[in-house]
Amino acid sequence: MAVSLVSNEVSDLCIGKPALRSLPLSAAAVGDALLALRRGGEPHLAVLAADRAAPEKRAVVGKLCVADVLCYLCSDGNLASPAAALERPVSALLPKGAGLVRRVEPQFSVSEALDLILDGAPSLVVPIGSVSRKKLAAAEFCWLTQEDFVRYFLNSIALFSPVPALSIDALGLVRSADALAIRHDEPGLSIIPLVRRALSDQTAVAVVTDDGRLLGEISPAALSACDETVAVAAGIATLTAGDLMAFIDYYGSPSESLVRAIKAGLKEKGLQEMLELMEDELSSFSISSSSASSSSSDDESSGGRRLRKLRSRSFSIGRRSEEPEVCHPGSSLVAVMVQALAHRVSYLWVVDEDDYGLMGIVTFADMLRVFREQLQQSSL
């Protein structure tokens, strides 16, 4: 019976998952976090601090990606002094108040962990490895995400029949995407609060025409995958949403007209330091990584040295993103689950089949609520 699924332990979902990559809260600056994200193969970085309840243990107090840094660099004051912004403590990147990360123990039931996910914790951390009580402070963690739960239920999808075959419209899963949509001609800086919301909801920002047709998207994943952190921040500050999407799409070989527009916008706004850093960054496309790794001058700030290290990385050239993943109101629940998992996204835009008008969005969280409701009904 489907209800038996929730009696399994969280440890069943963690089999084979790698340990998360982390950075200490006390000793790290924003620039350190950005360098760690660029150097690692994982899109996210955990921020560790001493557990208040047990100082000898470590607690995960935050989850960061490059998009978090970009939002921070584009906030008031930081665009004018990006090097100084990178020198500030990494705590500047963390949300105020309660964070988005919750810890669960391996012996927690799947039901308990699912409740936490659906109560607003997009990510959970689970201690992994065989660690004795005396060495508990050295325990490692792994991420447990909405995607893990969706895969878990998909593996037993037949137990929930006939619900998975119903359309997302019939199940009431299509919700408004107005809070995540921006017109193509709106200023790029208008996207920052939407990106912050997308980071929290694990979605993206839809770029639409004046009549509401979906043109494309700007996702935290696409922003995080761009090597040119300073150039993208400059693009956000100066371009329209539509032009910014095009700039991100063709990373490493941006349109000359867009580059000129960004530079002109920076000059007009008086963002001279950002302009100089962007020109330095873009010039590295024509320089080999070996020649770009020359040492810094003795009097260069550490923020400048971090930016130099980022610029010295080799850059790939090509198209960054594909077309946004979409479905229709008549798509079945199981179909959208499979489509989202196959493309490693946690949401699908719902569009009109005829004119591609944006009708809404369906997310992993929406899908998981259906399974929780089915499990609750089965237990009665």
Side-chain angles (χ1 to χ4, degrees), residues 106-324:
Q107 67 271 21
F108 274 32
S109 70
V110 170
S111 177
E112 291 174 305
L114 179 60
D115 286 343
L116 289 174
I117 284 280
L118 294 181
D119 286 343
S123 294
L124 307 177
V125 290
V126 185
I128 58 173
S130 123
V131 183
S132 67
R133 289 184 179 274
K134 291 183 179 180
K135 296 182 179 179
L136 190 58
E140 293 185 313
F141 301 90
C142 72
W143 296 118
L144 196 61
T145 66
Q146 294 177 358
E147 178 181 339
D148 296 315
F149 286 90
V150 172
R151 289 187 184 277
Y152 178 73
F153 288 118
L154 183 63
N155 288 337
S156 303
I157 198 70
L159 297 176
F160 297 90
S161 181
V163 172
L166 299 178
S167 72
I168 56 174
D169 189 33
L171 290 169
L173 298 185
V174 182
R175 59 184 175 89
S176 173
D178 291 347
L180 291 167
I182 187 171
R183 292 197 314 274
H184 67 99
D185 56 353
E186 291 189 60
L189 279 174
S190 300
I191 204 173
I192 294 301
L194 279 67
V195 172
R196 292 189 188 279
R197 174 159 187 167
L199 283 166
S200 175
D201 294 348
Q202 299 187 37
T203 54
V205 178
V207 180
V208 299
T209 61
D210 291 337
D211 57 357
R213 288 181 293 111
L214 182 64
L215 285 174
E217 67 176 23
I218 297 175
S219 68
L223 290 171
S224 296
C226 291
D227 289 317
E228 320 90 313
T229 308
V230 175
V232 173
I236 293 173
T238 56
L239 297 176
T240 63
D243 286 342
L244 175 63
M245 181 175 67
F247 184 74
I248 295 169
D249 260 6
Y250 290 90
Y251 75 105
S253 56
S255 162
E256 285 298 324
S257 61
L258 288 179
V259 173
R260 287 195 297 270
I262 293 173
K263 292 181 178 179
L266 292 175
K267 290 179 181 178
E268 182 179 344
K269 293 174 179 287
L271 300 174
Q272 187 60 34
E273 182 179 330
M274 180 69 75
L275 175 60
E276 293 173 357
L277 292 174
M278 175 186 166
E279 289 177 335
D280 198 3
E281 185 177 71
L282 292 178
S283 69
S284 66
F285 296 148
S286 59
I287 304 174
S288 66
S289 59
S290 59
S291 62
S293 60
S294 58
S295 60
S296 309
S297 62
D298 292 338
D299 59 347
E300 184 179 21
S301 71
S302 54
R305 287 196 295 273
R306 288 191 178 96
L307 286 168
R308 182 180 293 276
K309 289 178 182 178
L310 289 167
R311 294 194 299 267
S312 69
R313 290 176 54 84
S314 60
F315 294 92
S316 304
I317 296 178
R319 193 169 188 276
R320 167 58 61 197
S321 61
E322 300 176 354
E323 293 297 320

Side-chain angles (χ1 to χ4, degrees), residues 44 63-73 93 196 199 224:
H44 295 100
K63 182 178 184 181
L64 301 177
C65 65
V66 174
D68 290 300
V69 181
L70 281 168
C71 288
Y72 166 75
L73 287 177
L93 300 176
R196 292 189 188 279
L199 283 166
S224 296

Side-chain angles (χ1 to χ4, degrees), residues 40-58:
E42 297 296 323
H44 295 100
L45 190 68
V47 181
L48 297 183
D51 192 323
R52 291 182 179 180
E56 73 280 3
K57 300 179 182 179
R58 297 181 303 171

